[in-house]
């Protein structure tokens, strides 16, 4: 059970890093350099994370239409209130 908790925590941490990277990338006009500066990380790290995101989504995140979809989805996600645990049956 402990291994599952650690694995789950690592996945959540990695997912958060990917979401933050994607948001910074899209907010930076798809600029690797601007994204790296915004995140305080190396641009190769940004490239790696973007490849991971593209692989997970099976989409070309450099395609302007895909980037627009993702940007809108992130904004919608941010505007929604967090799910309440009380709502779970």
């Amino acid at each position: 059970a402990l291994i599952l908790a650690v694995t789950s925590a690592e996945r959540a941490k990695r997912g958060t890093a990917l979401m933050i990277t994607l948001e910074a990338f899209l907010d930076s006009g798809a600029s690797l350099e601007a994204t790296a500066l915004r995140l305080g990380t190396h641009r190769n790290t940004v490239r790696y994370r973007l490849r991971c995101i593209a692989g997970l989504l099976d989409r070309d995140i450099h395609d302007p239409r895909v980037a627009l979809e993702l940007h809108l989805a992130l904004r919608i996600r941010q505007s929604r209130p967090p799910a309440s645990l009380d709502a779970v049956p």
Side-chain angles (χ1 to χ4, degrees):
L2 179 59
I3 292 173
L4 291 177
V6 169
T7 303
S8 183
E10 283 300 314
R11 275 194 210 138
K13 182 178 173 184
R14 180 174 182 242
T16 299
L18 294 179
M19 291 291 287
I20 290 169
T21 301
L22 179 60
E23 183 177 1
F25 178 71
L26 296 171
D27 286 345
S28 298
S31 167
L32 288 172
E33 291 77 18
T35 303
L37 281 172
R38 181 178 280 199
L39 297 176
T41 188
H42 195 276
R43 64 180 177 266
N44 286 342
T45 301
V46 173
R47 276 192 190 103
Y48 171 76
R49 290 178 184 172
L50 293 175
R51 278 195 310 268
C52 289
I53 293 165
L56 289 168
L57 297 175
D58 194 28
R59 309 278 306 271
D60 178 7
I61 61 174
H62 298 282
D63 178 324
R65 291 180 186 155
V66 173
L68 177 61
E69 280 181 39
L70 293 172
H71 213 180
L72 290 172
L74 283 171
R75 294 295 170 247
I76 291 168
R77 182 177 180 264
Q78 290 172 348
S79 70
R80 295 177 62 184
S84 171
L85 292 178
D86 297 332
V88 177

